[in-house]
Amino acid sequence: MITLLTNVFAGFALGSTYALVALGFVVIYKSTGVINFAQGGLLALGAYLGYTFSNNLAIAFGVAILLACVCAAVVGASVERLVLRRMVGQPPFAVIMITIGLLFVLEPLTTAIWGFDNRPVDNPWNIQTIQVGQLVLGVRDLWTIGITAAVVVAFFVFFRYTRTGLAMRATAFDPEAALAQGISARRVYATSWAIAAALAALAGITLAAGPGGLQPSISSIALAAFPAMILGGLDSPAGAVLGGMIIGLAEALTRGYQDQLFSWAGDNVSVIVPYVLMIVILLIRPYGLLGTKEVRRV
């Protein structure tokens, strides 16, 4: 039972990181109808910015996180303003290719600036643990889960009660009607990119604060979070959180019981489990668990 609970807790912590990245995917998709493949590059950039603020400039870790998120948000809004705004009205495929190009620009840029070495990130958690009965919980994992819960609540409040959030919801629901009501689609798109970049930075810096430190391959976490977005539903923030938790649990449980259940499949079978699960769910619900079912009238 202790092993099961330990794996479940690890799954929730990993799923929280996936949920943050998946939320960024969903915010962009809801406002523009495009999947942002540059999310991994923004995640790596935010993580390295957080490392710079925390380690090189000796700024308190909480402040370093906020600064990294703000800087990443500025980068995201600038990318929308300087690059993607010129693609308005173009086929979605062309815009998607632009985001892929941005990924291949951001990844080499971060390694060119910070190098390829693994870097430990100064943080107040390190490898601290607390013990609840016989269950040992990592302090960093508890903070990751708590931060994700706070972000989810902030999302709900932002989209439900703020003018900008209502404008983003209206634009996502019916862009033409939103424009007719005086809502600036350009501002909505820029805000969407800023939020997605800030979420990516938050996920990156909390992940880099773990025992493994900051690695150049950290951007690959976005590929692992991709099934979470698809599974939950492309246009559903709640689905992104649910999908992240499901994928995190599936991966952690598979890794925890690798030797007992999946020894015949070789090592690292947990890497493919999220994609297998995504395929199974899509065969049953092509629009995801909480995604909006598309209805076409003939």
Side-chain angles (χ1 to χ4, degrees):
M1 179 60 67
I2 296 300
T3 301
L4 175 62
L5 292 176
T6 300
N7 289 324
V8 168
F9 176 74
F12 276 123
L14 180 61
S16 296
T17 302
Y18 288 161
L20 290 175
V21 182
L23 276 172
F25 277 118
V26 168
V27 167
I28 297 295
Y29 184 83
K30 278 182 68 70
S31 62
T32 65
V34 171
I35 297 176
N36 174 28
F37 285 97
Q39 194 73 356
L42 294 170
L43 183 148
L45 179 62
Y48 277 103
L49 286 172
Y51 164 82
T52 299
F53 292 133
S54 179
N55 288 49
N56 296 348
L57 301 180
I59 297 174
F61 188 69
V63 179
I65 289 179
L66 292 177
L67 289 175
C69 291
V70 170
C71 291
V74 171
V75 172
S78 299
V79 166
E80 191 282 330
R81 177 65 180 85
L82 299 175
V83 180
L84 295 169
R85 189 166 296 183
R86 302 175 185 273
M87 300 298 294
V88 173
Q90 300 300 320
F93 174 78
V95 183
I96 290 174
M97 295 305 296
I98 291 289
T99 66
I100 294 175
L102 288 171
L103 172 64
F104 288 111
V105 169
L106 290 171
E107 284 187 337
L109 181 63
T110 55
T111 53
I113 296 174
W114 286 281
F116 292 90
D117 296 332
N118 290 358
R119 301 173 182 269
V121 178
D122 292 338
N123 65 86
W125 312 316
N126 294 319
I127 57 173
Q128 296 178 12
T129 60
I130 61 174
Q131 189 164 350
V132 181
Q134 295 181 335
L135 185 63
V136 178
L137 307 177
V139 175
R140 183 190 71 91
D141 293 337
L142 288 171
W143 272 97
T144 301
I145 294 172
I147 288 172
T148 301
V151 168
V152 171
V153 172
F155 249 72
F156 174 80
V157 173
F158 175 76
F159 283 108
R160 181 64 64 102
Y161 297 109
T162 68
R163 178 175 298 181
T164 303
L166 292 173
M168 292 177 68
R169 290 173 58 195
T171 303
F173 182 76
D174 193 333
E176 294 182 359
L179 288 172
Q181 295 297 319
I183 295 175
S184 173
R186 292 182 176 181
R187 183 177 299 175
V188 167
Y189 296 155
T191 303
S192 299
W193 274 85
I195 292 174
L199 289 172
L202 181 60
I205 190 61
T206 53
L207 185 66
L214 179 53
Q215 305 174 13
S217 60
I218 193 171
S219 61
S220 62
I221 193 70
L223 292 178
F226 190 78
M229 174 194 63
I230 301 296
L231 187 150
L234 281 169
D235 60 348
S236 173
V241 177
L242 177 62
M245 293 302 174
I246 292 175
I247 294 298
L249 282 171
E251 190 171 335
L253 290 172
T254 303
R255 189 183 298 115
Y257 293 98
Q258 167 80 35
D259 295 336
Q260 293 91 328
L261 300 177
F262 303 102
S263 58
W264 54 271
D267 297 332
N268 297 325
V269 68
S270 61
V271 176
I272 67 171
V273 165
Y275 300 95
V276 173
L277 188 59
M278 178 188 72
I279 292 172
V280 171
I281 293 297
L282 288 180
L283 288 174
I284 302 172
R285 295 178 66 89
Y287 41 89
L289 293 174
L290 300 181
T292 303
K293 185 176 181 180
E294 183 177 354
V295 178
R296 295 185 178 180
R297 296 181 179 180
V298 180

